[in-house]
């Protein structure tokens, strides 16, 4: 169990009172989960019902485990999932205790009165920064406060950067949650500062310089980002893009910020602007991958970028390519990344081989004399010579592996060596082990991929090798995997009818057929044909053509990279596939283990490791890192990459264990984006807290009205204008709308409730919203509309609505602050220029891209309205507009019946099929054109399956329709056509 620090106790004293509702904003890494678990422990009781909202599955598990450690085990935290039935949930709510539930399940249970809202003791909401007017949490709070005024509501957040965008973001969150108290605790808060500065860990900052190739790539990527960002600003001068700079481009939120500012005009921007927005995200990832990936993985990722940028998924040439790939900086990125992996050299002439064979490599005296002349130690020179001699057979002859390692790997090896020496020194000085903490070394990285890479390096570390080559065996293994990947790509791109060419050794031409017999014209013709076929069938890494360029042009980085890849693929395509993937080594290792299994000592190979021999490599996560620190209690922590949150976790960990000495190695690349990102994140968080504190000082809180349910809810409604000239009658039935369960993923039910409508959740077979007994609405967002057209689901939905309702409506809803258009201007623009005969028209070589393109959404909508004339299409610009439209449609209309809406389209009574041959019905369902919707109709038309088979084509079409009838008739008479053909 973690110890509460003084500032934790002061926070709990302020927010633990169940009579108040509060919002707590705490800096990341200061133990927010510890505060939440302690608060839930205080409220844990069978007489109280505490609901936990917005917790992810990982957070639910971690909070449940920590509560169990703290003593809340009977029953502890119960988790409500989708697999739990309605009855089980009702019993769980009535028994009380701590319950974690998703927002979608809770909102449905509250609307159906499955949860006793008036008996809820309190609600705890995590990630309060995500609460908006359209979120389900705001909907839950409204329903909660309508029936329960005494219960508390506690909201928590550790993301202050997300509460600084827009007008009065803090006030909007407190308004939606109906809160009046907010507590802000940054790192520079007086209580937090005094607590954490009492005991400080021993921090050793290690600043590592990048290698020269990495510096060149880093500078080129930043230059490409600058050019891309300036081009984006230049092409969109009407937008406020001045705040976007390279410093903010280091963070993931940068892509969302750019897209959010471009959303209102997204339908006006062309494909070039969209490509620039995507390029910014790609370049940001390149900066991260440069510092965390090994050289071969980074080079392979660049090759995939080139392939995806030049060709589409169908193999055609991509129209809108990334502009940054055509710059000189991109050439530096591609060429330097390749040189970090290997260097391709021209094949040496055969004469040099014969001359080299005259040298006696094993002559030690000659090597010693040569080393003595150059003043070099003989062993190094001999080792280098032997290394060059022992070249792997799977490496191409013209390839010289470089395999540059990340500089931090050597630094990490030195740090671990220093820790080991320190442990040995402490054991020699002190006779008894330390009372607090273990000798386990904890290495923290930025991602699971980095953790895997570091683990592989430490597992294959060669301590005797010089710096820069300690992970040579690991890099050679990765090079072998890379070459295998290239070889497989080369084999896949070979045409099936063509045998793979043998490039391993050139075949000499027979002397009886000299080269001069073939004319130059035929040579040029063959060369042109080969180039065209190669360009047509090869995207990247295909079979290379030994064709020299006709003229010297500007070097394209993509072309240069592709040529090198083709050279490698040429060698690999000619090699057997088992050369690169060695299965014999694994079999030999398995045989060795099995043979020595009886002799080996169990504890040596399978026993527990001593803490001093264990290095734990783990990626940064969330508050789970606090639990890892508490369990392992390491005295040596290596931060392989900087992380602001984990620095504070170490501070809390150090102060929670007063008698323990903690040493932290803080590793960071100097003068690069890693250092800049760390400092920029620290500055962003400080500025965000300052804005929140300033807003809290000048914030105007709203006054919430009490809505009493009683006789005042009677509404005067005009039932019909034909009754006594529009006689108004007093209606005590609230205006209601029936909503399908699946629609609670959207924000529309919350807005309908806010507009004064009573939302009734139900499982509907036909439609999404039932407004009146005659009006059924099927709501489609733009992505859902496209997917429904492609799958054909929309056709069936409109057919069912037309059968069961008098006024079927298809609602096409757009998102707020986004384009109210189905296509961009560039896609819908037509050329109105008058054609001239100045230039001859090009001959048509086949169908154009527009001819091959699938039909647009507009054309599909036209076909839909032609098939279903009664279906009305309503266009809504946002969910707010949809709520207004629904209120207008419900005016002067009767209220829908939930029982009837649920029964429409549902399965019929099982007794209705009594007396029907079930086997014959099952056989009928298997025929093409017969579906679950028309099977009853077909059974009423024909008495048996034989009668259906004896009908002619027109008769089957009369029962099933034209297209389904043709499909069914052809299926039933397929054998007769085969007999006729014979």
């Amino acid at each position: 169990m973690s110890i509460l620090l003084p500032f934790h106790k002061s926070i709990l004293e302020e927010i633990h009172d169940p009579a108040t509702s509060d919002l707590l904003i705490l800096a990341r890494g200061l133990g927010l989960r510890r505060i939440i678990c302690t608060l839930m422990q205080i409220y844990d009781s069978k007489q109280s019902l505490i609901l936990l909202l917005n917790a992810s599955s990982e957070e639910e598990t971690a909070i449940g485990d920590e509560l169990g450690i703290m003593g809340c085990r009977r029953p502890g935290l119960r988790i409500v999932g989708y697999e739990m039935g309605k009855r089980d949930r009702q019993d769980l709510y009535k028994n009380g205790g701590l319950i974690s539930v998703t927002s979608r399940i809770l909102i449905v249970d509250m609307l159906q009165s499955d949860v006793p809202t008036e008996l809820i003791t309190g609600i705890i909401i995590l990630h309060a920064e995500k609460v908006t007017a359209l979120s389900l949490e705001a909907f839950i709070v409204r329903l909660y406060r309508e029936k329960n005024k005494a219960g508390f509501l506690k909201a928590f957040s550790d993301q202050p950067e997300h509460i600084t965008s827009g007008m009065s973001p803090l006030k909007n969150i407190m308004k939606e949650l109906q809160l009046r108290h907010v507590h802000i605790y940054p790192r520079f808060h007086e209580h937090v500062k005094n607590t954490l500065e009492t005991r400080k860990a021993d921090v050793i900052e290690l600043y590592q310089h990048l290698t020269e190739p990495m510096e060149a790539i880093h500078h080129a990527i930043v230059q490409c980002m600058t050019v891309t960002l300036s081009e984006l600003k230049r092409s969109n001068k009407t937008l406020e893009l001045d705040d976007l700079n390279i410093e903010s481009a280091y963070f993931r939120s940068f892509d969302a910020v750019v897209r959010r500012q471009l959303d209102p005009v997204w339908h006006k921007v062309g494909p070039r602007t969209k490509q620039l927005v995507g390029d910014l995200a790609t370049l940001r990832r390149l900066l991260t991958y440069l510092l965390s990936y090994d050289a071969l993985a980074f080079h392979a990722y660049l090759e995939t970028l080139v392939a995806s940028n030049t060709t589409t998924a169908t193999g055609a040439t991509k129209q809108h390519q990334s502009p940054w790939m055509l710059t000189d900086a991109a050439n530096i990125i591609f060429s330097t990344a390749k040189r970090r992996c290997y260097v391709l050299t021209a094949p040496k002439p055969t004469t040099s081989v014969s001359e080299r064979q005259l040298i006696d490599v094993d002559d030690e005296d000659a090597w010693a004399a040569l080393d003595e002349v150059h003043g070099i130690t003989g062993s190094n020179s001999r080792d280098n010579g032997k290394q060059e001699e022992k070249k792997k057979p799977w490496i191409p002859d013209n390839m010289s592996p470089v395999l540059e390692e990340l500089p931090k790997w050597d630094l990490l090896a030195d740090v671990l060596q220093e820790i080991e020496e320190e442990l040995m020194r402490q054991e020699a000085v002190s006779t008894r082990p330390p009372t607090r903490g273990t000798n386990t070394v904890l290495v923290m990285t930025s991602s699971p991929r980095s953790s895997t890479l570091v683990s592989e390096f430490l597992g294959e570390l060669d301590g005797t090798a010089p710096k820069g080559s300690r992970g040579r065996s690991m890099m050679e293994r990765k090079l072998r995997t890379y070459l295998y990947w290239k070889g497989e790509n080369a084999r896949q791109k070979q045409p099936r009818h063509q045998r793979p060419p043998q490039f391993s050794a050139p075949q000499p031409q027979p002397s009886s057929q000299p080269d001069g017999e073939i004319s130059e014209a035929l040579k040029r013709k063959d060369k042109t044909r080969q180039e065209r076929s190669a360009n047509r069938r090869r995207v990247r890494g295909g079979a290379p053509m030994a064709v020299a360029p006709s003229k010297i042009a500007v070097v394209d980085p993509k072309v240069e990279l592709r040529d090198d890849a083709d050279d490698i693929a040429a060698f690999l395509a000619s090699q057997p596939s088992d050369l690169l993937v060695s299965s014999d080594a694994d079999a030999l290792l398995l045989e060795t283990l099995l043979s020595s299994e009886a002799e080996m000592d169990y504890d040596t190979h399978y026993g527990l490791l001593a803490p001093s021999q264990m290095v734990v490599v783990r990626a940064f996560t969330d508050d789970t890192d606090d639990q890892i620190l508490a369990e392992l209690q390491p005295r040596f922590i290596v931060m392989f990459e900087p992380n602001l949150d984990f620095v504070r976790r170490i501070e809390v960990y150090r102060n929670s264990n007063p008698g323990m000495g903690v040493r932290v190695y803080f590793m960071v690349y100097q003068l690069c984006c890693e250092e800049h990102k760390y400092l920029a994140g620290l500055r962003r968080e400080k500025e965000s807290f300052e804005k929140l504190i300033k807003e809290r000082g000048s914030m105007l809180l709203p006054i919430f009205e009490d809505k009493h349910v009683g006789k005042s809810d009677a509404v005067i409604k005009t039932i019909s204008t034909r009754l006594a000239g529009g006689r108004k009658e007093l209606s005590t039935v609230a205006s209601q709308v029936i909503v399908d369960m699946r629609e609670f993923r959207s924000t529309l039910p919350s807005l309908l409730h806010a507009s004064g409508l009573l939302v009734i959740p139900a499982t509907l077979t036909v439609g999404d919203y039932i407004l009146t007994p005659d009006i059924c609405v099927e709501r489609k967002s733009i992505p859902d509309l496209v997917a429904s057209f492609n799958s054909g689901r929309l056709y069936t939905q409109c057919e069912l609505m037309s059968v069961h309702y008098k006024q079927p409506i298809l609602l096409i809803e757009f998102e707020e602050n986004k384009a109210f258009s189905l296509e961009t201007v560039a896609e819908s623009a037509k050329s109105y220029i008058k054609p001239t005969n100045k230039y001859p028209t090009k001959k048509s070589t086949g169908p154009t891209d527009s001819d091959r393109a699938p039909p647009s959404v507009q054309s599909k909508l036209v076909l839909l309205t032609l098939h279903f004339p009664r279906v009305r299409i309503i266009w809504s610009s946002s969910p707010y507009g949809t709520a207004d439209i629904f209120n207008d449609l419900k005016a002067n209309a009767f209220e829908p019946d939930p029982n009837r809406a649920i029964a429409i389209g549902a399965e019929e009574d099982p007794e209705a099929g009594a007396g029907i041959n079930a086997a014959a019905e099952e056989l009928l369902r298997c025929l093409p054109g017969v579906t679950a919707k028309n099977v009853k109709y077909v059974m009423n038309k024909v008495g048996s399956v034989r009668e259906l088979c004896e009908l002619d084509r027109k008769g089957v079409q009369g029962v099933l329709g034209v297209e389904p009838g043709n499909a069914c008739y052809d299926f039933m008479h397929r054998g007769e056509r085969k007999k006729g053909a014979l």
Side-chain angles (χ1 to χ4, degrees), residues 16 47 76 87 96 105 117 147 297 349-350 363 369 392 432 494 538 543 668 687 877 912 942 961:
H16 83 283
Q47 286 74 30
R87 294 283 182 86
I105 295 178
T117 307
K147 298 182 180 180
T350 56
D363 192 355
K392 303 296 187 298
R432 58 180 183 178
Q494 290 291 342
R538 189 181 74 231
V668 61
E687 293 175 354
S877 60
V942 294

Side-chain angles (χ1 to χ4, degrees), residues 848-861:
T848 61
D849 293 340
S850 60
D851 297 335
R852 289 192 296 262
S856 62
V857 178
Q858 289 89 334
S859 60
K860 293 180 180 180
L861 283 174

